[in-house]
Amino acid sequence: MNRSGQCGAKEAMVLDNPNSRRTLAHLVDPVAKLLIKARITPDALTWFGSGATLVISVVFLARGDFLLGAVLFGIFGLVDLLDGTMARMLGTSGPWGAFLDSTLDRVSDSAVICSICFYYANSDLPNGNLVASAGVVALVMGLMTSYARAKAESLNAQCTIGIAERAERNILIYVALLLTSLVTDVMSYAFVILAIVSTVTVIQRIVYVRKQLVL
């Protein structure tokens, strides 16, 4: 869901380097063209991706079915690339697409973390309370990370720094889901790390914006 826009533009989902973009373009562009031929709009795909994530979260993650949930989470995560590519091809990139993407991304991210926290909070696992507590902190700080950028940009300040933007946070959750389902339960470690790096990112952004706005 990476369409260009003004305040509150969504955070990058892929590494920001030319080689990564070219490699992904070879995979994503043909699919985007097929969807356009099928008269599917970028906005419709954005809504579909968010809705699919909500269903995956409630049906699989909230019940502890992390393996299938992770697989589907990864597949539907490609929508983040497809709708932006389609908008570029159609020439419809703009502030509305950025606003819709960013808003629905917050819903999707919250659904994933809340569902995992729900499962652990209602389980008999010894690390249940830790996962739930760390998850709440990670969720709040993740939302604050996005809010800090949106508010900064509304004040004409730059705010794209931080050790844990959305891409990094989602990768950490995805890896934790796979390891927990296939090897051993690492969710408590993953969520504690997620809470820490998300908090650090918010602090980094506050300090960075202050330097720009306080003369």
Side-chain angles (χ1 to χ4, degrees):
M1 307 176 186
N2 195 14
R3 295 179 232 172
S4 61
Q6 299 295 324
C7 169
K10 75 175 285 167
E11 302 182 41
M13 281 299 296
V14 296
L15 295 178
D16 188 18
N17 67 74
N19 290 331
S20 294
R21 290 196 296 270
R22 281 194 296 268
T23 300
L24 288 170
H26 290 307
L27 301 173
V28 173
D29 286 3
V31 179
K33 291 177 181 178
L34 288 174
L35 292 173
I36 291 174
K37 288 182 179 180
R39 298 182 180 275
I40 297 174
T41 66
D43 284 356
L45 194 62
T46 300
W47 282 103
F48 173 75
S50 181
T53 301
L54 285 173
V55 172
I56 292 167
S57 299
V58 173
V59 175
F60 298 105
L61 300 185
R63 298 170 59 185
D65 192 349
F66 292 161
L67 180 57
L68 185 54
V71 172
L72 294 174
F73 181 50
I75 292 174
F76 285 105
L78 296 176
V79 172
D80 281 325
L81 306 177
L82 284 170
D83 62 355
T85 301
M86 290 169 63
R88 173 178 55 79
M89 291 178 173
L90 292 169
T92 58
S93 298
W96 163 247
F99 171 81
L100 181 64
D101 285 338
S102 184
T103 301
L104 294 184
D105 280 348
R106 305 292 80 76
V107 175
S108 298
D109 294 347
S110 299
V112 170
I113 294 179
C114 286
S115 295
I116 295 173
C117 288
F118 175 84
Y119 169 72
Y120 277 93
N122 289 278
S123 71
D124 295 326
L125 297 172
N127 61 344
N129 290 334
L130 177 58
V131 172
S133 300
V136 170
V137 175
L139 175 58
V140 172
M141 290 299 118
L143 294 174
M144 285 300 300
T145 297
S146 299
Y147 174 79
R149 176 173 176 173
K151 186 61 179 180
E153 291 179 349
S154 73
L155 299 172
N156 297 317
Q158 297 295 318
C159 190
T160 57
I161 69 165
I163 61 173
E165 295 193 41
R166 186 169 185 257
E168 290 78 12
R169 297 196 303 269
N170 279 346
I171 290 172
L172 179 57
I173 293 173
Y174 180 71
V175 171
L177 288 171
L178 287 179
L179 290 177
T180 298
S181 60
L182 296 174
V183 184
T184 187
D185 192 344
V186 298
M187 199 62 69
S188 58
Y189 301 105
F191 268 34
V192 168
I193 293 173
L194 188 62
I196 292 172
V197 297
S198 297
T199 302
V200 170
T201 299
V202 172
I203 294 172
Q204 286 178 304
R205 292 191 168 187
I206 291 174
V207 173
Y208 185 69
V209 172
R210 185 181 187 281
K211 291 179 180 179
Q212 298 175 65
L213 300 181
V214 179
L215 302 179

